[in-house]
């Protein structure tokens, strides 16, 4: 491999899907089983997942596929709708504001997508009866009869619409500028309720909304009315196997080869790892429990089931390989980046969740192993009782307070650390060195209570170098490879 910046970008893609050229994205995009749950004609789909799992990429591919089939598909960003709903103490009024504002913006973007110009008076009339699809159908029929001014009409799109009466709306990036305050929670709750009402009132209107898992968690546990939209929620989660397939497909696409997603998923992991051999050295010659293990197992253990983590780690190591004049990414190239990769994951987590817990950085850094823990216990591993004791020590000088104003109990902080993937549940497999790990997504309990189901708790490997940089090689002695890999 020649690890130029251009080749690295072509190999692994950008960290954010919206930065990728759509044609290139279509070449290497890996469709997990979640994709079919959102790419359909159902009225309302709410895609929930952590930052970096690929929500925007899934929407971008779905929107493009609909447009390629001459369907009416529009994209709405936060800056399009930020003024649509003003804060209010009345949830019903906020829902009405959202319905009115969304109807207007959907109508305008649909008309723009087919080159039809509408005057302000016609645009305002959409707030009338709420029959959005009916109004669009009426104007599309008029377009064929040349009754309204227009540019070059996309007649195929209009004809396809008149055969189905369906409009696909993608609302993405709502967490941009999100604040986990009570008004912020109520605003998102009102949007979800308004979207449900609009799709019920307008058969053929298909709305897709992406939400970060922490945003949905706060809304779901704060507003009892959201139980009505729970059946429309799709949790976007990955298995380690799927993420390894995703990386293999990107490498294959770079080399000009094509394998279907189903073909890749059926392969055992040692076969999938063979696709990496032109880019990575196949063995990781590390330390402790990570000495002479397959490289793909190291990669999967270092990421938090988020494709963006893997893209980031591979990109960093490939750049180091270029600096070292290597034609493959070798063990030293990975080792040189574990510390900076870990620091960035810690900072990403602070940025992602400080809207919910403003003093999150103090909590995370407080989880560093003490000298006593290094001598008497396994580093970064706790029973439930030990975890509570550790958190009590961290907050002994100053308690933690959530953005919504409530003081955090120890059990709530433990649940919070699990929810943000800082902690994972672990259990040793019988007779094996490998560890059975369970993530928050595996259970998705929707309460603020800590649930003890017989597992120990450990700090995820992605954070350990940031918390224990002075003894990085010791981490490998206590860090077991994931049993799922």
């Amino acid at each position: 491999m020649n690890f130029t910046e251009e080749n690295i970008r072509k190999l692994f893609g950008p960290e954010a899907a919206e930065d990728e050229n759509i044609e290139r994205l279509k070449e290497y995009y890996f469709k997990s089983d979640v994709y079919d749950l959102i790419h359909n004609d159902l009225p309302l789909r709410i895609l929930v997942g952590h930052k970096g799992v690929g929500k925007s990429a899934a929407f971008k591919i779905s929107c493009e596929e609909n447009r390629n089939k001459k369907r009416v598909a529009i994209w709405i960003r936060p800056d399009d709708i930020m003024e649509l709903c003003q804060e209010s103490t009345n949830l019903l009024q906020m829902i009405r504001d959202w319905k009115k504002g969304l109807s207007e913006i959907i109508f305008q973007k649909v008309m723009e997508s087919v080159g039809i110009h509408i005057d302000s008076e016609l645009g305002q009339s959409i707030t009338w009866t709420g029959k959005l699809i009916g109004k669009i159908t009426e104007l599309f029929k008029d377009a064929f009869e040349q009754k309204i001014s227009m540019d070059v009409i996309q007649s195929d799109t209009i004809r396809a619409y008149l055969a189905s009466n369906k409009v696909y709306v993608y609302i993405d990036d709502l967490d941009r500028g999100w604040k986990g305050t009570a008004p912020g929670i109520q605003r998102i709750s009102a949007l979800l309720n308004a979207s449900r009402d609009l799709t019920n009132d307008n058969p053929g209107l298909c709305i897709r909304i992406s939400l970060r898992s922490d945003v949905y968690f706060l809304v779901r546990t704060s507003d009892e009315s959201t139980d009505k939209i729970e059946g429309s929620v799709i949790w976007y989660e990955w298995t380690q196997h799927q993420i390894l397939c995703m990386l293999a497909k990107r490498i294959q696409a770079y080399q000009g080869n094509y394998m279907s997603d189903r073909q890749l998923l059926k392969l055992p992991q040692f076969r999938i790892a063979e696709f990496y051999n032109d880019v990575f050295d196949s063995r990781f010659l590390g330390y402790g429990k990570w000495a002479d293990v397959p490289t793909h197992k190291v990669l999967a253990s270092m990421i938090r089931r988020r494709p963006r983590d893997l893209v980031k780690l591979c990109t960093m190591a490939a750049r180091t390989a270029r600096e070292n004049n290597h034609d493959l990414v070798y063990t030293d190239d990975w080792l040189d980046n574990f510390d900076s990769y870990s620091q960035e994951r810690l900072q990403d987590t602070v940025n992602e969740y400080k809207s919910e817990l403003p003093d999150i950085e103090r909590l995370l850094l407080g989880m560093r192993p003490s000298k006593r823990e290094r001598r008497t216990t396994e580093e970064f591993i706790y029973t439930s009782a030990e975890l509570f004791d550790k958190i009590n020590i961290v907050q002994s000088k100053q308690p933690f307070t959530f953005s919504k104003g409530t003081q955090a109990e120890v059990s709530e902080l433990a649940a919070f650390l699990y929810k943000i993937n800082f902690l994972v549940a672990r259990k040793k497999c019988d007779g094996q060195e490998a560890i059975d790990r369970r993530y928050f997504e595996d259970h998705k309990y929707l309460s603020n209570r800590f649930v003890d189901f017989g597992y120990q708790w450990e700090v995820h490997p992605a954070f350990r170098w940031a918390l224990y940089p002075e003894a990085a090689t010791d981490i490998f002695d206590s860090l077991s490879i994931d049993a799922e890999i």
Side-chain angles (χ1 to χ4, degrees), residues 133-198:
I133 293 296
K135 194 68 173 180
I136 292 172
T137 302
E138 176 186 335
L139 289 177
F140 276 11
K141 288 179 179 179
D142 288 347
F144 273 123
E145 299 174 8
Q146 302 293 308
K147 292 181 179 179
I148 56 176
S149 62
M150 63 194 75
D151 288 334
V152 177
I153 297 178
Q154 299 182 17
S155 57
D156 289 345
T157 299
I158 295 178
R159 187 177 293 110
Y161 169 82
L162 292 175
S164 66
N165 286 356
K166 291 190 180 300
V167 173
Y168 301 87
V169 179
Y170 296 86
I171 304 177
D172 190 33
D173 255 358
L174 283 177
D175 50 85
R176 191 186 300 174
W178 158 259
K179 302 294 183 184
T181 59
I185 293 170
Q186 189 180 45
R187 194 166 186 266
I188 297 296
S189 176
L191 168 61
L192 299 181
N193 279 283
S195 298
R196 174 177 173 268
D197 288 349
L198 282 176

Side-chain angles (χ1 to χ4, degrees), residues 96-133:
R96 283 192 291 269
D97 290 346
W98 270 122
K99 289 167 66 175
K100 175 179 180 293
L102 280 176
S103 294
E104 291 178 358
I105 194 68
I106 291 171
F107 179 73
Q108 292 166 1
K109 282 183 172 286
V110 167
M111 294 301 119
E112 290 170 3
S113 72
V114 294
I116 294 178
H117 296 291
I118 57 174
D119 57 37
S120 58
E121 183 178 349
L122 182 59
Q124 292 293 330
S125 71
I126 199 65
T127 62
W128 22 274
T129 62
K131 298 302 180 183
L132 176 62
I133 293 296

Side-chain angles (χ1 to χ4, degrees), residues 322-374:
R322 180 186 63 217
E323 295 169 2
N324 293 334
N325 294 316
H326 292 163
D327 56 357
L328 294 174
V329 178
Y330 291 99
T331 299
D332 287 347
D333 302 319
W334 297 114
L335 289 174
D336 287 347
N337 285 285
F338 281 169
D339 180 65
S340 55
Y341 167 78
S342 185
Q343 293 283 354
E344 289 188 17
R345 300 292 72 72
L346 186 72
Q347 188 61 53
D348 282 349
T349 302
V350 170
N351 295 341
E352 185 175 352
Y353 294 101
K354 66 181 179 181
S355 59
E356 183 177 351
L357 185 69
D359 206 9
I360 181 178
E361 187 171 9
R362 177 167 65 92
L363 175 62
L364 300 187
L365 294 178
M367 297 301 293
R368 297 176 191 232
S370 65
K371 291 182 179 180
R372 182 185 63 80
E373 289 171 338
R374 296 171 194 172

Side-chain angles (χ1 to χ4, degrees), residues 21 44 72 215 217-218 239 241 262 264 331 397 408 447 465:
N21 174 275
L44 180 62
V72 178
V215 177
F217 181 86
L218 282 179
T239 65
H241 187 80
R262 290 187 178 183
L264 281 169
T331 299
K397 293 183 179 179
S447 74
W465 277 262

